[in-house]
Amino acid sequence: AKEEFKVGNLFEAVLSQTFREKLDKDTPPSTLFKRLRGRNPSPYGFFINLGEDEYLVGASPEMFVRCETIANNDYRPGALRVETCPISGTVARGEDALEDAKRVRSLIMNQKEESELTMCTDVDRNDKSRICEPGSVKVIGRRQIEMYSRLIHTVDHVEGYLREKFDALDAFLCHTWAVTVTGAPKTWAIQFVEDMERSPRCWYGGAVGLVGFDGTLNTGLTLRTVRVKNGVAEVRAGATLLYDSDPAAEEAETELKASAMMDAIVQKKGDTMDASASKLVSEEDGIGAGKHIVLIDHEDSFVHTLGNYLRQTGAEVQTLRSGPSTLAAIERMVEEGNKPDMVVLSPGPGNPDDFKLSASIETLIEHGIPGFGVCLGLQGMVQHFGGELGVLGYPMHGKPSPVSLTDDGKKDESIFSGMPDTFEVARYHSLHGIKDKIPDCLEITAVTDDDIVMGIKHKTLPFAAVQFHPESILTSPSHGMTILKNALRFLKGTDNNE
């Protein structure tokens, strides 16, 4: 394909492959349709018995051609409006809305994905221009985001008004076959597909819909469709190739597009875990069960979200406003035999001296209580153990940054155990621990690209801290929870106070 692109024979081409799976006796096509409707709801769902033990079961996301009569328009009363919604540009869904937002941003910023949709829409506009009123063909939606069970797509929305001598079937035929499943220039792309693909497409890339007695039409492409023939289910999926395509990424895209269909074929119920995996999740979620955490609030605006995360570990969390009364309360807990399993030093404005963090840390050391610090908490530890703080040249407030683990941060008993070597976090700080002034008793466990200290751990005491917000929406919730669970798992108290 690259050679065809290079010499200008093709601008883009859509090649596809077929995935097959034998249906068991408990999965008739009707059941398959019910599963798809529940797991992958889409604008165009259909279940068609074609006879001779052949069925089409689909959940298509893409409109092919739709025509409707518009009473009042700029051309003539009751003119037929034709519209299409070409889809091109795909990325996988994230684990949650926050990851979805990141995926959407990467998709929108991807020039290759933009080029795909641009060429599709230009071809689509050309198809309409054959039969539409001059000046009526317009793009009324550009790179709009549509989300499905496993995919995020970019979609354009194009309309036109048919000239008086044309009807809905003319509109349908003028768009045959969709550029989003063939390529451009369309005729050469279709020939390329014919030459390159090893098996016939059958129903893939066709259309399903209705023609109304009133002259209207509504059709969707037969994408995300299962063809069942003699008890064998076939799913065909394609990817749009450009000169700058990455072959491995395009291959993965076809597998991703087919995945919801294949899962509906082979999985009778929702995702399930075996007993050992279920037990592991249960143990992981309950790492804080039976533990008592004191969360010292340094007048921060995010402390309750941090407390919410800590409670999700199963721990009992008591939030106390910083000051002498809180230290006195901790002393009483110790005297009564209810020593906290951990004290969390929250973020906050100002600097550690404003809240006398050194006194709090000294209390924890005296009674052998583990301490975990967030932002101001890290700064307090650095300062208490003899380090120095600096001021960033540019304040990082509500800003994302990639953070990389050091060798110490990759140790098995680090608070970052099980984390990627590099991940994105939320920063809300101006002060920071100066790397060259970090005392020898503290290990640096994470840094930014410009070497700002983002994580520390004491070499002998059960203290660790991060210079970012694990509870912010800019830090993946799974990463934030992992850090807090690791803190509870690895920071163990002592009985040196008794």
Side-chain angles (χ1 to χ4, degrees):
K2 278 188 177 290
E3 286 303 314
E4 298 296 314
F5 295 138
K6 190 174 181 179
V7 298
N9 291 340
L10 296 173
F11 306 145
E12 62 180 353
V14 182
L15 294 183
S16 60
Q17 63 174 320
T18 301
F19 305 84
R20 295 179 176 86
E21 189 74 35
K22 188 172 179 60
L23 283 179
D24 61 38
K25 295 180 180 179
D26 298 328
T27 310
S30 57
T31 298
L32 194 58
F33 176 67
K34 291 177 182 177
R35 289 182 193 167
L36 275 181
R37 190 171 59 181
R39 299 178 191 181
N40 191 53
S42 299
Y44 292 89
F46 48 90
F47 171 39
I48 304 173
N49 185 341
L50 297 168
E52 298 183 356
D53 202 22
E54 184 177 11
Y55 302 83
L56 286 185
V57 183
S60 174
E62 184 170 351
M63 177 196 298
F64 179 40
V65 176
R66 182 163 67 190
C67 289
E68 59 184 346
T69 301
I70 304 297
N72 298 315
N73 58 79
D74 294 336
Y75 303 97
R76 65 184 182 279
L80 272 177
R81 174 178 176 267
V82 56
E83 63 176 324
T84 52
C85 291
I87 292 177
S88 198
T90 303
V91 69
R93 291 288 300 266
E95 291 184 4
D96 52 37
L98 305 180
E99 277 199 15
D100 279 345
K102 293 179 181 178
R103 303 284 176 90
V104 167
R105 183 171 60 198
S106 70
L107 180 59
I108 290 295
M109 297 299 291
N110 189 309
Q111 290 186 342
K112 183 262 182 185
E113 301 288 350
E114 182 177 5
S115 296
E116 279 187 28
L117 187 55
T118 296
M119 288 189 274
C120 287
T121 298
D122 275 343
V123 172
D124 185 275
R125 291 168 61 239
N126 181 71
D127 292 339
K128 287 180 177 59
S129 294
R130 294 174 62 185
I131 57 173
C132 285
E133 296 282 0
S136 71
V137 178
K138 298 175 182 177
V139 177
I140 58 176
R142 175 60 173 161
R143 300 197 78 198
Q144 297 173 319
I145 296 297
E146 290 186 2
M147 294 191 179
Y148 296 93
S149 62
R150 301 194 180 192
L151 299 170
I152 303 172
H153 288 305
T154 47
V155 184
D156 280 354
H157 193 175
V158 187
E159 71 167 9
Y161 282 85
L162 299 184
R163 300 204 299 273
E164 194 164 8
K165 64 181 180 178
F166 296 109
D167 60 21
L169 290 179
D170 293 312
F172 182 91
L173 292 172
C174 276
H175 289 81
T176 305
W177 284 113
V179 60
T180 53
V181 292
T182 55
K186 192 183 286 187
T187 304
W188 284 48
I190 291 173
Q191 184 61 55
F192 183 77
V193 168
E194 180 76 14
D195 295 340
M196 293 294 110
E197 291 189 345
R198 298 178 181 178
S199 60
R201 288 189 166 188
C202 298
W203 301 99
Y204 173 75
V208 172
L210 60 87
V211 179
F213 290 111
D214 58 355
T216 61
L217 176 142
N218 190 355
T219 56
L221 288 176
T222 50
L223 306 176
R224 316 293 190 274
T225 297
V226 183
R227 178 199 183 213
V228 179
K229 178 68 174 176
N230 298 324
V232 176
E234 298 180 353
V235 177
R236 198 170 187 106
T240 304
L241 307 182
L242 275 65
Y243 182 76
D244 47 356
S245 287
D246 172 34
E250 303 295 355
E251 172 80 12
E253 182 176 316
T254 64
E255 294 170 355
L256 177 63
K257 287 176 176 176
S259 63
M261 311 296 112
M262 296 305 294
D263 281 355
I265 294 167
V266 301
Q267 293 187 18
K268 297 181 181 179
K269 297 181 180 179
D271 293 337
T272 58
M273 299 178 291
D274 59 32
S276 60
S278 179
K279 180 179 179 183
L280 179 61
V281 170
S282 178
E283 291 175 353
E284 181 75 7
D285 288 346
I287 191 69
K291 294 183 178 180
H292 175 214
I293 298 173
V294 172
L295 173 56
I296 299 181
D297 175 16
H298 300 115
E299 300 177 11
D300 183 56
S301 292
F302 313 117
V303 68
H304 298 301
T305 303
L306 182 58
N308 179 288
Y309 271 46
L310 290 165
R311 290 185 181 94
Q312 291 178 53
T313 69
E316 175 193 349
V317 180
Q318 184 177 6
T319 304
L320 301 174
R321 182 60 59 89
S322 67
S325 62
T326 289
L327 300 187
I330 292 174
E331 294 281 359
R332 285 195 301 273
M333 293 176 197
V334 173
E335 291 171 4
E336 295 168 0
N338 298 317
K339 184 172 73 172
D341 295 286
M342 177 179 288
V343 170
V344 176
L345 303 174
S346 86
N351 62 67
D353 291 336
D354 293 327
F355 297 95
K356 298 181 172 56
L357 253 72
S358 192
S360 299
I361 294 170
E362 194 59 48
T363 298
L364 303 187
I365 296 172
E366 178 185 350
H367 297 296
I369 301 172
F372 177 72
V374 178
C375 287
L376 186 70
L378 178 143
Q379 296 158 19
M381 289 184 189
V382 169
Q383 192 176 71
H384 177 82
F385 292 111
E388 294 183 17
L389 302 180
V391 180
L392 295 173
Y394 185 86
M396 297 296 288
H397 300 156
K399 300 287 196 304
S401 283
V403 164
S404 298
L405 302 182
T406 65
D407 289 341
D408 287 324
K410 297 175 185 178
K411 292 178 179 177
D412 290 340
E413 294 192 353
S414 163
I415 59 170
F416 299 114
S417 177
M419 299 276 289
D421 289 351
T422 300
F423 53 96
E424 192 169 85
V425 301
R427 296 172 67 181
Y428 283 88
H429 69 109
S430 298
L431 301 182
H432 67 102
I434 299 174
K435 186 177 182 183
D436 294 340
K437 302 293 184 178
I438 297 294
D440 291 340
C441 63
L442 297 178
E443 297 174 341
I444 297 173
T445 53
V447 294
T448 61
D449 291 343
D450 55 352
D451 245 12
I452 299 298
V453 175
M454 286 283 115
I456 59 170
K457 183 181 184 298
H458 199 283
K459 292 181 179 178
T460 59
L461 296 173
F463 287 90
V466 293
Q467 185 58 73
F468 57 85
H469 283 245
E471 82 293 343
S472 170
I473 61 174
L474 292 179
T475 303
S476 165
S478 62
H479 292 163
M481 288 301 302
T482 295
I483 292 167
L484 297 177
K485 289 175 182 178
N486 283 337
L488 283 167
R489 182 181 291 111
F490 298 130
L491 299 178
K492 302 294 186 181
T494 64
D495 294 326
N496 63 333
N497 58 295
E498 265 50 272

